[in-house]
């Protein structure tokens, strides 16, 4: 089995990261490497992550910068980028390994958004369908890729927002993704805190502006007040 390096960017995730890491497959059983790229947390994120066996990389804030820094020290043949509030399916390591063995250079999982609001299930279903049709993945879907592809693409573009869309677009130009139907479960906390419909409209507006060439720094300034 190929060695898998899981890179988890985090910022002030002490409330969620312990549970996320406790649900990870045992690294000694599957040869998995766990790296937490901390973007300057002011809480116990790094301490909790280290207690769960993660290697801590400290890097300036910025999801793309954090993921690139984690990937730089990773030793795996395959890289998996996972959000701190997202849980992998039970057989994630095996599923990824089989996808790569079948010829995939990169891929992602379907997603389920955990929460009480009925619209969250609709949002997740639309995300999965859109990704399957377009070959574009979002960070919530736990993007994975071979080390060779990541290096060939020079990793994530150091932009303030939409780094997952940019990476997927460049990866898709080389090969179609493996769209795994097994679901990662991600928290709907930010959706519910800011209002699900309001968040849907915000994300549509940001994606549309990005499509028409808006500066990701401007998009990030509009995004962060709603998600911090």
């Amino acid at each position: 089995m190929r060695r898998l390096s899981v890179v988890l960017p985090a910022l002030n995730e002490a409330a969620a990261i312990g549970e996320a890491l406790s649900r990870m497959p045992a690294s000694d059983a599957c040869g998995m490497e766990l790296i937490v790229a901390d973007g300057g947390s002011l809480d116990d994120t790094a301490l909790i992550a280290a207690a769960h066996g993660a290697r801590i990389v400290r890097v300036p804030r910025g999801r793309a910068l954090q993921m690139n820094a984690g990937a730089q020290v990773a030793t795996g043949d395959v890289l998996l980028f996972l959000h701190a509030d997202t849980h992998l399916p039970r057989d994630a390591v095996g599923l990824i390994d089989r996808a790569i063995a079948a010829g995939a250079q990169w891929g992602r999982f379907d997603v389920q958004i955990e929460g009480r609001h009925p619209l969250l299930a609709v949002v997740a279903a639309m995300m999965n369908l859109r990704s399957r049709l377009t070959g574009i993945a979002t960070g919530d879907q736990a993007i994975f890729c071979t080390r060779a592809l990541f290096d060939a693409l020079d990793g994530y573009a150091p932009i303030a927002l939409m780094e997952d869309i940019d990476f997927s677009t460049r990866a898709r130009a080389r090969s179609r993704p493996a769209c795994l139907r097994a679901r990662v479960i991600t928290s709907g906390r930010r959706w519910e805190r800011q209002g699900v419909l309001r968040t849907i409209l915000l994300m549509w507006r940001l994606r549309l502006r990005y499509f028409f060439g808006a500066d990701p720094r401007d998009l990030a300034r509009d995004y962060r007040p709603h998600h911090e």
Side-chain angles (χ1 to χ4, degrees):
M1 181 176 286
R2 294 161 187 81
R3 180 167 170 79
L4 177 68
S5 294
V6 179
V7 177
L8 195 153
L11 178 66
N12 296 326
E13 289 285 0
I17 199 167
E19 181 181 1
L21 297 181
S22 68
R23 294 194 185 188
M24 298 288 285
S27 58
D28 55 353
C30 61
M32 186 184 71
E33 176 182 41
L34 180 58
I35 300 167
V36 170
D38 186 82
S41 294
L42 300 177
D43 60 12
D44 290 333
T45 294
L47 186 65
I48 295 170
H52 282 81
R55 177 178 181 180
I56 309 302
V57 177
R58 300 186 186 276
V59 63
R61 172 180 176 169
R63 185 168 282 164
L65 296 176
Q66 290 170 243
M67 291 189 292
N68 285 340
Q72 187 174 9
V73 302
T75 61
D77 308 300
V78 181
L79 306 173
L80 168 65
F81 299 94
L82 186 71
H83 289 180
D85 59 359
T86 301
H87 306 143
L88 293 171
R90 181 176 300 177
D91 190 28
V93 176
L95 291 169
I96 292 171
D97 191 68
R98 289 192 287 276
I100 299 298
Q105 296 184 54
W106 73 291
R108 67 12 163 227
F109 291 85
D110 275 359
V111 66
Q112 174 183 334
I113 305 175
E114 194 172 51
R116 295 185 300 272
H117 199 290
L119 273 180
L120 293 176
V122 177
V123 171
M126 294 304 295
M127 285 173 60
N128 297 332
L129 178 61
R130 182 184 67 230
S131 177
R132 190 162 276 106
L133 293 175
T134 65
I136 299 297
T138 68
D140 286 327
Q141 292 174 298
I143 295 172
F144 60 88
C145 67
T146 64
R147 172 97 242 180
L149 177 63
F150 188 83
D151 290 344
L153 296 175
D154 292 325
Y156 283 92
I159 55 180
L161 199 66
M162 303 293 174
E163 74 288 333
D164 48 358
I165 306 301
D166 173 83
F167 183 85
S168 295
T169 301
R170 291 183 290 122
R172 183 189 59 179
R174 292 175 174 261
S175 69
R176 290 285 298 180
C179 296
L180 303 186
R181 293 191 179 275
R183 295 181 178 183
V184 296
I185 300 176
T186 192
S187 172
R189 56 184 176 161
R190 292 185 176 93
W191 296 79
E192 293 183 325
R193 184 170 66 237
Q194 300 300 331
V196 175
L197 186 57
R198 181 183 180 188
T199 303
I200 292 171
L201 295 175
L202 171 67
M203 296 309 299
W204 281 357
R205 186 168 67 249
L206 293 176
R207 286 176 184 273
L208 188 62
R209 289 172 59 194
Y210 177 72
F211 178 79
F212 283 107
D215 189 326
R217 290 173 295 185
D218 294 334
L219 301 181
R221 280 193 287 270
D222 290 341
Y223 173 80
R224 283 177 180 149
H226 299 276
H227 288 77
E228 293 184 345

